[in-house]
Amino acid sequence: MTTIRPAGPAAGPRDVVGTGQAACHHGEILQGVFLDERRRACHALVTLPMNGPGAHAAFLRRPDDGPDAVSVTPPGRAKARAAALLAVRECAALREEEPCGGALRLSGDIPVGLGMGSSTSDVIATVRAVADSYRLRLAPGTIARLAVRAEGACDPLMLGPGPLLFAQRQGRVLEALGTALPPAVVVGCALGGGAPVDTLSLPARTGDDRELARYERLRRMLRTAVADADPALLGRVSTASARLGQRTLHHPEFETLTAIADRTGATGVQIAHSGNVAGLLFDPRTPGLDRRMRRCARALHSDGMTPTVTFTTDPAPTSRSEDPFHGRPHLRGRRPTGPDTPRRRPRLPAL
């Protein structure tokens, strides 16, 4: 948090700026309807985090402006603006001050509409920037609560890379599954030509007894996969979840994608349940992994699903291949991750 004198609108002597960042994800490993601690049906998901692009926010807090005087650049980021208004009120109350206005500036390189959590990343970065302008660090649970209020549902990006079964419409964790997903190398691609998906138009899952039983079984399988660090079981869970998601998403490439996975020895596929991003999961210990990934890339390309990025489920790799198909991603190093971790831009399609 620093006092600033921006090149734009003149800043007063009390104007201060805070900054915040947030990561993205690569869709979901599992998403559906599950039972919460009271045995009630609850929509929830397990995201596939990635060390990829991110959202950045700077909030110029202006104590002399009214609480509704918040502008956003670029325009049209209504969810981020709502998050800024909520965060100002939250932080002002903690500081026992009157809420005020300000100017929010967003930047980043997360493609919109692919199911990579772009709106949640904007919202989390915004809340962190507002809190930073108040010299506060809000708890992840508080950020989740504000994010749900701002956008109706959110991904658990504020809670770190560990696998969580997260109720996205309530902003709460149903189950912490472990410290990390099983080891896997993910070869990403975009379905539907990379066209954005209107997530609000998708029909909601019913949550009947039969559907609940299916998703609870996948929940148990994923719990075992995490406990045993089993990439094969992880692939089975993600493929089954993606297949169930086909009832609402109807990706025409789905059967082709699973056929490529079978031919190249992938453990399974994963597809964003609210977008077009997809991936093939490989066990990093598989013999001839580099060769299999090159075959996978060629097959995806020939079938119109251009490969975009490769990464690992390791929550803190030292590096990953910038061109994913000319060498195996590094899996052994450790690098701390968090909202301020430098990130390299992945090779995503021009949208």
Side-chain angles (χ1 to χ4, degrees):
M1 191 281 300
T2 57
T3 301
I4 66 166
R5 298 290 184 272
R14 295 199 300 149
D15 293 350
V16 291
V17 70
T19 59
Q21 300 185 34
C24 73
H25 60 77
H26 200 264
E28 289 74 38
I29 288 291
L30 175 62
Q31 181 168 343
V33 184
F34 305 87
L35 295 174
D36 68 5
E37 68 279 1
R38 297 185 180 181
R39 307 292 295 174
R40 298 172 301 187
C42 183
H43 289 81
L45 50 80
V46 179
T47 59
L48 177 58
M50 64 178 293
N51 290 305
H56 311 268
F59 183 71
L60 172 64
R61 181 164 61 90
R62 290 177 165 156
D64 296 329
D65 289 355
D68 294 327
V70 172
S71 63
V72 183
T73 304
R77 305 288 181 92
K79 294 177 181 178
R81 183 178 186 275
L85 294 171
L86 291 168
V88 163
R89 284 164 171 77
E90 183 82 20
C91 294
L94 291 172
R95 286 295 188 194
E96 298 183 343
E97 299 176 5
E98 289 297 319
C100 65
L104 174 66
R105 181 177 294 276
L106 295 165
S107 61
D109 48 9
I110 306 174
V112 176
L114 286 186
M116 298 177 68
S118 59
S119 61
T120 294
S121 295
D122 278 353
V123 165
I124 294 172
T126 295
V127 172
R128 285 174 170 162
V130 171
D132 187 47
S133 76
Y134 280 90
R135 297 179 179 164
L136 292 172
R137 184 182 295 271
L138 297 179
T142 301
I143 298 176
R145 171 171 55 82
L146 297 177
V148 169
R149 289 184 62 191
E151 59 173 334
C154 71
D155 301 299
L157 299 174
M158 73 294 292
L159 297 170
L164 303 169
L165 183 63
F166 184 77
Q168 70 270 28
R169 299 180 183 179
Q170 301 172 22
R172 65 189 182 98
V173 176
L174 297 189
E175 181 179 354
L177 297 165
T179 58
L181 288 170
V185 180
V186 184
V187 177
C189 64
L191 308 181
V197 171
D198 180 4
T199 58
L200 297 179
S201 69
L202 297 175
R205 294 175 174 82
T206 61
D208 57 32
D209 290 344
R210 186 174 180 182
E211 186 168 67
L212 275 168
R214 287 171 174 165
Y215 283 113
E216 282 296 327
R217 179 173 179 270
L218 292 178
R219 177 183 186 172
R220 293 191 296 271
M221 291 171 63
L222 183 55
R223 188 185 298 142
T224 300
V226 171
D228 295 344
D230 186 343
L233 188 54
L234 176 70
R236 287 174 56 195
V237 170
S238 63
T239 302
S241 179
R243 191 173 294 280
L244 289 171
Q246 274 293 97
R247 293 177 297 174
T248 56
L249 294 174
H250 307 296
H251 288 298
E253 307 98 329
F254 180 76
E255 296 301 333
T256 301
L257 193 69
T258 55
I260 292 174
D262 290 341
R263 293 201 309 269
T264 58
T267 64
V269 302
Q270 61 88 209
I271 295 177
H273 289 242
S274 58
N276 276 326
V277 70
L280 289 85
L281 281 62
F282 288 85
D283 184 338
R285 301 164 298 188
T286 300
L289 177 61
D290 294 341
R291 173 177 50 82
R292 293 176 185 274
M293 292 173 65
R294 286 193 292 270
R295 286 182 55 204
C296 176
R298 289 194 296 268
L300 289 170
H301 186 78
S302 65
D303 283 305
M305 296 174 282
T306 303
T308 55
V309 63
T310 190
F311 62 99
T312 78
T313 54
D314 184 339
T318 53
S319 63
R320 57 185 174 81
S321 173
E322 192 70 11
D323 184 342
F325 310 108
H326 292 82
R328 183 180 305 191
H330 298 282
L331 301 174
R332 294 185 180 180
R334 290 292 183 269
R335 179 170 66 92
T337 58
D340 299 318
T341 302
R343 302 181 187 278
R344 300 172 71 185
R345 180 167 183 153
R347 291 163 49 101
L348 292 167
L351 302 179

